[in-house]
Amino acid sequence: MKSSSGNKELPLAFSSAPTTTSQSHSFASRKGVFTLFLFSAIAYAVLPLAGVSGASDLIHSLLRPKYDEQCIQASVLIPEKNTKLWGAVNGKISTEEYKRQAIDWLAGAIKIPTESFDDMGPVGEDPRWEIHRKLHDYLLSAFPVVHTTLKLTKINTYGLLYEWKGSDTSLKPLLLAGHQDVVPVESTTIDKWTHPPFSGHYDGTRIWGRGTADDKSGVVGILSAIETLLKAEFQPARTVLLAFGFDEEIGGFKGAKFLADHLLKSYGKNSIAFMVDEGGIFVQEYGSVFAAPGIAEKGSVNTRIQVAAPGGHSSIPPVHTSIGILSSLLVHVESNPFDARLDRTDPMYSTLQCVAEHAKDIPTHYRKLIQRSVHSDGALRAVQKIAFQNPIYKSLVGTTQAIDVIQGGAKSNALPEQAWAIVNHRISVISSVKETQDHDANLLKKLASKFNLTYTAFGELISEEGAPSSGSLVLDTGITEGGLEPAPVSPTGKDAIPYQVLSGTIKATYNVHRSLPTKDVDAITVAPGMMSGNTDTRFYWDLTPHIFRYTHRSAGNETNMLAGLHTVNESLEADSFLEMIRFFVTLILNADESNQLQ
């Protein structure tokens, strides 16, 4: 996406929403699977490197910030104690034999349709869960060394918790997560797939099928990395935990929630060094390659707006029926969106700073304006005005609202006694559920009075108690309970060792996969990213403050980050899958060696 000289729009958005089937969209709205990112760069002037840092002395050698430098870049991080093993494993991954094996590993998992449906019943009662048994049997046969070495505990029947015990129990474990389930394939779209959605077909370049991108490639990639390390006779000092949920696409309440509760009981609060789950990818834009691990997620809450009014025959109607009143309320909601405000504490402001420092093709005057905004409120307001011309960027910064569901009336000649709608909010990381609900409650006060409605908002009576009325207006959260607060923002500063380990690992993986010079710190830049929706990480907040949502997968110069997710023709390049395996291998080895991770 290029900068437009006509409207002076900053080149900030790297993604746009894909076309989805109606069924797929219902899953996306609940989960927020579509991970919109604004990729950004780090470190305007990267520290000069005489050599490649080892994980053990990371804290002393990675960072040398310059004055006014906003995006401090980590150096390339390769294993120091296990350099030879790392080199040997990377050499093996580069072979045709290993490539064929990796393709078969992923394709086999894709062939098992572990679909999650919105109306799934309890585990043990709904037979649709049982397909996961077939996947578990497959994983057992595909990764025999993993299953004879790691301890496997099944949580709530289908959740998979693997424990690879390290030799040093004083080290906090590394937690890698993913999910086994996939979004259902709409039956009416099957003939639109280039290759059948559960075929795992390999066409010589790409592997096709539901789950190749979200998220069986993550689960199988992790297991492939560990199987490979075990065959290379690697034994970790730091315990490695794998947590694979089975209902992430419908909220994770039966899978990840149970897994997280088990880990919290077994290991305790803040017991994990850091966690990596599915999330941001990397992309080539503006003359640079950017990787954006998600360090935060927006919150979410539904507001159900319910109007009740007397029924009767439609031949003698009132001036406003319940549907008419509800329509007026909804128009008022859409006419009064939340005020979005760019704040220096917002992760998306850090994204802007990173764009200014490392996007090679950004216009000079924009670059300087963004940099001045660090100290100038006037410049900050000017940046906000320009940046908010981009609706995707604005939606990532502010609290959003979307009227997604509406219902009312039963018969054409009967006055509707009830009408209701659901407004879905994605909450800014600098806001809260309460602030969002207060906004909604205050917004509709005048209209409730205008239509003479008894008004109750989120359990609190707003209108005068006992006053006569023509009906009622109730705001609540519907069938959902409460809401989800914005996720805690993971630290990314110079002392945030987990983020630096992750960043250095991303650089090392990118370089080795392309046979680039090991010291090339500028080949890919890593910056904090932002999630538009929610992942299974919502359940793991108490285990560690260092949670990263990142999938080491290339989008090339694709501007639509969501292409293939939850829609037809989901697929993944085999080369990208091999790079994912390299990433997990390198991450495990680097985390194992870093004595700064406590």
Side-chain angles (χ1 to χ4, degrees):
M1 184 180 299
K2 295 182 178 180
S3 167
S4 170
S5 57
N7 59 16
K8 297 184 178 180
E9 181 179 350
L10 272 174
L12 297 175
F14 298 94
S15 56
S16 57
T19 302
T20 62
T21 64
S22 59
Q23 186 177 20
S24 292
H25 179 73
S26 70
F27 292 88
S29 64
R30 290 188 59 182
K31 172 205 168 184
V33 65
F34 293 151
T35 53
L36 298 172
F37 293 95
L38 297 181
F39 283 88
S40 49
I42 278 185
Y44 173 66
V46 180
L47 63 110
L49 294 175
V52 179
S53 301
S56 61
D57 60 353
L58 177 68
I59 192 170
H60 301 294
S61 60
L62 282 182
L63 308 166
R64 294 176 192 147
K66 293 187 176 182
Y67 179 72
D68 272 346
E69 191 175 37
Q70 299 299 310
C71 294
I72 300 172
Q73 191 82 112
S75 62
V76 179
L77 186 64
I78 67 170
E80 187 176 69
K81 298 176 183 177
N82 291 289
T83 303
K84 290 184 178 180
L85 183 145
W86 183 67
V89 169
N90 276 307
K92 182 176 181 63
I93 293 174
S94 298
T95 65
E96 280 298 318
E97 180 183 6
Y98 190 91
K99 180 179 179 179
R100 289 193 297 270
Q101 176 67 81
I103 291 168
D104 289 344
W105 277 334
L106 180 56
I110 298 302
K111 293 175 182 178
I112 303 169
T114 51
E115 297 168 292
S116 284
F117 299 90
D118 277 345
D119 62 348
M120 297 285 269
V123 173
E125 296 181 16
D126 193 325
R128 289 176 293 181
W129 294 115
E130 294 175 8
I131 189 66
H132 287 277
R133 296 185 189 277
K134 186 175 181 180
L135 178 62
H136 295 178
D137 290 341
Y138 168 73
L139 296 178
L140 177 64
S141 63
F143 304 103
V145 185
V146 167
H147 286 85
T148 56
T149 306
L150 277 62
K151 177 184 177 182
L152 172 60
T153 305
K154 295 190 176 182
I155 308 297
N156 197 22
T157 308
Y158 301 115
L160 300 179
L161 176 62
Y162 293 88
E163 296 177 88
W164 193 5
K165 286 293 185 181
S167 59
D168 188 345
T169 58
S170 70
L171 299 176
K172 288 184 176 181
L174 167 67
L175 174 58
L176 304 176
H179 62 90
Q180 309 164 55
D181 60 316
V182 299
V183 166
V185 174
E186 182 80 36
S187 60
T188 58
T189 68
I190 292 178
D191 62 349
K192 297 178 182 178
W193 284 72
T194 301
H195 300 284
F198 296 107
S199 65
H201 177 78
Y202 176 59
D203 64 3
T205 302
R206 306 185 71 87
I207 306 162
W208 294 79
R210 179 66 87 232
T212 50
D214 182 19
D215 174 44
K216 284 183 177 175
S217 56
V219 171
V220 176
I222 292 169
L223 292 172
S224 300
I226 294 178
E227 183 85 0
T228 305
L229 283 170
L230 285 169
K231 288 181 178 179
E233 299 184 350
F234 172 72
Q235 295 298 324
R238 183 185 305 277
T239 294
V240 179
L241 301 173
L242 315 179
F244 301 144
F246 59 91
D247 66 335
E248 195 271 353
E249 299 294 357
I250 54 175
F253 290 95
K254 296 178 176 66
K257 184 180 187 303
F258 280 80
L259 284 161
D261 289 345
H262 180 88
L263 285 171
L264 192 61
K265 182 178 179 181
S266 300
Y267 285 86
K269 191 172 183 179
N270 293 327
S271 58
I272 303 300
F274 67 96
M275 174 185 185
V276 178
D277 195 6
E278 62 171 335
I281 59 180
F282 62 90
V283 62
Q284 183 174 340
E285 280 287 352
Y286 315 125
S288 304
V289 179
F290 305 112
I295 64 165
E297 292 182 355
K298 299 182 79 173
S300 65
V301 68
N302 287 331
T303 296
R304 181 171 62 177
I305 303 173
Q306 302 177 84
V307 176
H313 199 280
S314 60
S315 62
I316 311 175
V319 175
H320 300 288
T321 68
S322 62
I323 292 177
I325 294 171
L326 178 63
S327 300
S328 295
L329 296 173
L330 297 180
V331 168
H332 191 62
V333 167
E334 289 205 335
S335 299
N336 293 273
F338 286 71
D339 290 330
R341 176 173 57 89
L342 186 59
D343 188 280
R344 292 186 181 96
T345 63
D346 193 301
M348 295 311 301
Y349 180 71
S350 298
T351 301
L352 275 177
Q353 289 300 323
C354 293
V355 168
E357 289 189 14
H358 257 274
K360 296 178 181 178
D361 296 341
I362 187 173
T364 301
H365 56 291
Y366 289 142
R367 188 190 310 276
K368 291 181 178 179
L369 181 64
I370 294 169
Q371 291 172 336
R372 287 201 307 271
S373 71
V374 174
H375 305 295
S376 168
D377 290 342
L380 179 62
R381 289 191 295 271
V383 168
Q384 175 180 299
K385 183 177 180 180
I386 297 170
F388 281 7
Q389 293 176 18
N390 186 310
I392 296 177
Y393 184 87
K394 185 177 181 180
S395 71
L396 285 169
V397 171
T399 297
T400 61
Q401 57 187 30
I403 303 169
D404 291 331
V405 181
I406 188 168
Q407 185 170 318
K411 203 170 186 295
S412 63
N413 63 352
L415 297 175
E417 294 179 315
Q418 287 192 344
W420 57 269
I422 293 178
V423 183
N424 178 254
H425 296 294
R426 299 297 166 141
I427 305 171
S428 166
V429 295
I430 60 172
S431 185
S432 65
V433 171
K434 185 179 187 306
E435 187 174 11
T436 303
Q437 292 179 332
D438 287 347
H439 170 276
D440 287 352
N442 292 328
L443 182 63
L444 299 181
K445 278 184 180 179
K446 290 184 179 179
L447 285 180
S449 177
K450 173 184 175 181
F451 291 113
N452 192 29
L453 302 174
T454 300
Y455 183 23
T456 303
F458 307 107
E460 179 182 353
L461 181 64
I462 306 297
S463 56
E464 183 180 348
E465 188 172 2
S469 68
S470 302
S472 66
L473 169 62
V474 176
L475 304 189
D476 61 22
T477 58
I479 61 173
T480 58
E481 295 182 7
L484 178 67
E485 296 290 352
V489 178
S490 298
T492 60
K494 63 181 181 179
D495 296 323
I497 301 305
Y499 181 75
Q500 304 306 324
V501 170
L502 177 65
S503 298
T505 297
I506 291 170
K507 289 176 176 290
T509 304
Y510 185 86
N511 289 351
V512 72
H513 189 71
R514 289 159 184 79
S515 300
L516 298 175
T518 307
K519 300 178 185 179
D520 190 352
V521 73
D522 295 321
I524 184 171
T525 54
V526 184
M530 174 68 190
M531 301 290 289
S532 67
N534 305 115
T535 63
D536 273 346
T537 59
R538 70 172 78 177
F539 300 107
Y540 294 88
W541 295 351
D542 286 342
L543 284 163
T544 177
H546 305 283
I547 296 177
F548 306 108
R549 303 139 185 101
Y550 181 69
T551 302
H552 190 80
R553 177 168 59 84
S554 172
N557 58 2
E558 174 62 68
T559 57
N560 183 358
M561 298 290 87
L562 313 178
L565 289 179
H566 292 199
T567 188
V568 299
N569 286 332
E570 183 177 348
S571 61
L572 178 68
E573 286 192 5
D575 186 68
S576 291
F577 182 55
L578 290 173
E579 188 169 2
M580 289 175 65
I581 297 173
R582 290 190 201 274
F583 167 75
F584 288 120
V585 165
T586 309
L587 182 66
I588 291 169
L589 293 175
N590 279 337
D592 194 69
E593 292 187 11
S594 177
N595 54 23
Q596 303 295 333
L597 285 173
Q598 298 296 335

